[in-house]
Amino acid sequence: MHNIYVYILVMTVTVYLIRVLPLTLIRKKIRNRFLRSFLYYVPYVTLAVMSFPAMIDATIHPYSGIIAFIIGLIASYKDLGLFKVTVLCCVTVLLMEYLFAMIR
Amino acid sequence: MNRFKTGLKHAIPIGLGYFAVAFSLGIIASNAGIMAFQGFLTSLLVNASAGENAAFIAIKENASYLQMIMIMLVSNIRYVLMSFALSQKIDPKMSIIHRLILGFFLTDEYFALEIAQDGYVDPVYMYGAISFASPCWAIGTALGIIMGNVLPLNIVSALSVALYGMFMAIFVPACKKDRIITLLVLLSFVCSYLFSRFTSLSESYITILLTIAIASFGALIAPREDEDA
């Protein structure tokens, strides 16, 4: 088993270096086109990979997750913003879980 | 003091969003056997939703420390870009102390506030925003760990999707502006589904592997022009 506080230390140092090094040291733009493009696409790909199918595995009934996922996609597409999208997804799942519990 | 208050006010929706998402993150953390204080400390020090999510899963899977470094690099690599962009938005004369603090609190949401300002970033304004939203993040995580196991199952189920709602609110609007991102996101969904169902790879490995593969694919088929944010 690994020590939780060592994990936290490793996370803190790694993430801090990522955030602070460019801000304090490097003033030039990245020249390499492939690297720049790669860095540009990374956040969206990471978030997408982590969202699906994890979201439909997170709920009691997978259908609640699927419907919340679809509603979340639509709400995000309509630029409702972080807070409203988040609340909408949660409320959808809550309602669906009630519904499934009633059907049973 | 006025600029501090303005920042605080602008951070209210961020703080509320942070709280809900951190709560769901706390549920994930408690599933990994993490105590409330440990989760509080992690959120206070790390300030990263996607990164902490991947990290808690890795802890649950008893990942090595080297693997943890890789996971943090991959899930937070976007901050390298933001940090670059932010370096162009701050006064060249700004002291190193301010830079070190703003770097520590560089999140998607704070970055959005910083970019939205006219001219150079005002550190006092940012400290106002940070002083409200960041405690929401840390306290939300701790409460998620404590209460996640006490709440009724359907409420836990509902809260556990908050994190993914926030992720979607970040990557979906980007799809509208860039068709390549749409393509990569759809490809990510398909590959992620296939890998999770038909391989025995852990979730954190799938994230690293697919991110590197699909982002490289994007960089190969559609390299970016020189000017971008």
Side-chain angles (χ1 to χ4, degrees), chain B residues 56-76:
Chain B
F56 289 146
I57 291 166
I59 290 174
K60 192 179 176 185
E61 291 167 349
N62 199 23
S64 68
Y65 297 128
L66 185 67
Q67 203 184 340
M68 180 62 88
I69 292 175
M70 282 169 63
I71 289 162
M72 294 314 277
L73 282 176
V74 169
S75 60
N76 295 294

Side-chain angles (χ1 to χ4, degrees), chain B residues 13-205:
Chain B
I14 295 178
L16 293 176
Y18 273 2
F19 187 85
V21 172
F23 197 94
S24 94
L25 199 59
I27 296 170
I28 295 168
S30 76
N31 289 337
I34 287 159
M35 300 290 141
F37 171 72
Q38 297 163 344
F40 177 83
L41 193 65
T42 306
S43 283
L44 204 65
L45 295 173
V46 179
N47 292 308
S49 59
E52 287 182 46
N53 176 49
F56 289 146
I57 291 166
I59 290 174
K60 192 179 176 185
E61 291 167 349
N62 199 23
S64 68
Y65 297 128
L66 185 67
Q67 203 184 340
M68 180 62 88
I69 292 175
M70 282 169 63
I71 289 162
M72 294 314 277
L73 282 176
V74 169
S75 60
N76 295 294
I77 198 97
R78 67 184 183 282
Y79 294 121
V80 172
L81 275 190
M82 287 187 202
S83 187
F84 267 104
L86 188 59
S87 71
Q88 313 299 311
K89 268 289 278 184
I90 60 179
D91 192 334
K93 282 177 246 159
M94 185 191 274
S95 78
I96 186 84
I97 306 289
H98 287 316
R99 285 168 192 263
L100 292 177
I101 299 173
L102 290 182
F104 186 82
F105 290 103
L106 180 56
T107 67
D108 301 338
E109 294 74 24
Y110 291 142
F111 180 71
L113 282 188
E114 281 155 346
I115 290 306
Q117 287 180 58
D118 291 327
Y120 290 131
V121 172
D122 176 3
V124 177
Y125 167 86
M126 285 312 299
Y127 298 152
I130 290 164
S131 69
F132 176 75
S134 285
C136 293
W137 181 246
I139 293 167
T141 310
L143 285 181
I145 293 173
I146 296 166
M147 292 168 61
N149 296 319
V150 187
L151 291 174
L153 271 182
N154 53 5
I155 296 191
V156 173
S157 181
L159 285 168
S160 64
V161 299
L163 183 69
Y164 308 114
M166 183 166 120
F167 290 170
M168 283 193 275
I170 295 171
F171 71 73
V172 174
C175 293
K176 281 205 286 193
K177 282 181 278 178
D178 192 333
R179 269 191 217 154
I180 299 298
I181 295 179
T182 312
L183 174 75
L184 298 182
V185 163
L186 292 176
L187 195 61
S188 301
F189 287 164
V190 173
C191 294
S192 176
Y193 184 83
L194 293 177
F195 273 68
S196 78
R197 294 298 186 265
F198 300 110
T199 72
S200 54
L201 289 174
S202 68
E203 218 175 310
S204 41
Y205 261 126

